[in-house]
Amino acid sequence: MASSAWSIADVARMSGVTSRTLRHYDEIGLLPPAWTASNGHRYYEESQLLRLQQILLMRELGVGLREIQAVLDSQADRVAVLREHHARLLTEQDRLGTLARTVARTIAALESEDTPMPDVKINRPENLFEGFQPDPELEAETRERYPQAYEQSRQAVEALTPEAGEQWQREVTAQMIRFAEFMAAGTPADDPAVQAEVDVHYRGVCRFWTPNAEAYRGLAATYVEDPRFRGNFDKIAEGLAEYQRAAMVVYADARLS
């Protein structure tokens, strides 16, 4: 018997893995115990605990049990494997950090009307949405290229009461945050869930004017190319303008062309 051994109950308590799961890992050859007592009780030593740690790390990264077993049975350098896991965990940490920040902003946008956030001042929409007031050159270009749409949009905006305008701006903010959450989760721009959100965005735009495919792609480009628009997207999450443009282009090609 080794000098240090832990029962299956001990390992379950230390690792948070159920005894049933540990028995399953033994049955499939993924994590056999160091030895089994005459009464059938399994015991684990340090090498099995280290192997279990690697199993749990790879599970957290979404690796399947068969792939985990292949990696562990390949006799790969343990330190090299752990370094790879560490790098992937740091990447995941960054992703989850971004997601956590965007969720926090969602909560602030939807629940708080009086407390300003340091970087997203939801209670003063003009501070967040100044970029959505097009500069004179952009406004003149829009008026020249889409005169009917420009006039429709101008009239619709002017018809909004201050309360309705602020509510609209809050809705836009919340939607930007939802796009940021998709981006942080690594969801492709053409994913059905993202495209459903783009459909909501398109219908929101149609409250003011009805863009065709070319115009909607142009609006998407403006989000990236106009520094003030892009700056407001970046207040939510860096890279959001490019992500939303990609999603809008997919929508325009598939639904508006």
Side-chain angles (χ1 to χ4, degrees):
M1 179 186 299
S3 58
S4 296
W6 295 270
S7 70
I8 192 170
D10 293 331
V11 175
R13 183 170 57 253
M14 288 188 293
S15 66
V17 177
T18 65
S19 297
R20 180 178 180 180
T21 297
L22 291 171
R23 287 192 292 270
H24 175 64
Y25 288 171
D26 179 14
E27 291 166 0
I28 64 175
L30 180 60
L31 183 65
W35 49 278
T36 303
S38 58
N39 59 6
H41 291 174
R42 295 169 172 84
Y43 288 87
Y44 299 80
E45 297 176 358
E46 183 175 329
S47 61
Q48 284 75 44
L49 297 187
L50 289 171
R51 185 177 174 97
L52 177 60
Q53 182 196 56
Q54 291 183 285
I55 292 169
L56 297 181
L57 282 171
M58 285 188 276
R59 278 183 54 194
E60 287 294 325
L61 294 169
V63 181
L65 293 183
R66 289 185 179 180
E67 185 179 351
I68 291 173
Q69 185 157 7
V71 171
L72 295 181
D73 291 346
S74 67
Q75 302 300 316
D77 179 78
R78 182 175 294 174
V79 174
V81 171
L82 286 174
R83 286 188 188 279
E84 182 180 349
H85 294 336
H86 185 240
R88 293 176 67 181
L89 286 169
L90 289 177
T91 300
E92 183 72 0
Q93 181 183 52
D94 290 342
R95 184 187 73 79
L96 291 175
T98 300
L99 184 57
R101 288 191 295 273
T102 57
V103 170
R105 291 187 176 111
T106 302
I107 295 169
L110 298 180
E111 294 186 355
S112 174
E113 296 188 358
D114 300 316
T115 303
M117 297 289 287
D119 53 351
V120 183
K121 299 177 181 178
I122 302 300
N123 67 313
R124 295 180 58 82
E126 65 274 16
N127 291 331
L128 178 59
F129 285 93
E130 59 183 357
F132 289 88
Q133 311 287 330
D135 61 32
E137 291 185 7
L138 179 62
E139 187 172 7
E141 180 182 348
T142 303
R143 184 168 56 245
E144 181 178 350
R145 293 185 62 185
Y146 310 108
Q148 183 177 0
Y150 175 83
E151 184 61 25
Q152 284 180 327
S153 178
R154 185 189 64 79
Q155 292 179 5
V157 170
E158 289 181 354
L160 289 175
T161 65
E163 294 78 10
E166 183 168 336
Q167 177 60 34
W168 169 72
Q169 290 174 336
R170 290 181 185 279
E171 292 171 0
V172 171
T173 304
Q175 184 174 64
M176 290 168 70
I177 293 168
R178 292 195 296 272
F179 275 115
E181 290 170 350
F182 281 126
M183 181 182 72
T187 309
D190 60 355
D191 184 273
V194 177
Q195 288 302 299
E197 193 65 56
V198 178
D199 185 60
V200 174
H201 176 270
Y202 179 76
R203 286 187 280 110
V205 172
C206 289
R207 292 171 57 185
F208 303 96
W209 63 294
T210 305
N212 58 20
E214 178 189 1
Y216 197 54
R217 283 191 291 265
L219 176 62
T222 299
Y223 288 168
V224 174
E225 295 168 4
D226 185 279
R228 293 187 300 173
F229 274 90
R230 187 186 185 106
N232 281 318
F233 280 94
D234 285 345
K235 288 177 184 178
I236 302 296
E238 187 174 351
L240 178 59
E242 289 91 343
Y243 180 80
Q244 186 160 336
R245 176 179 64 177
M248 290 169 65
V249 168
V250 170
Y251 184 90
D253 292 345
R255 301 282 294 273
L256 304 180
S257 296

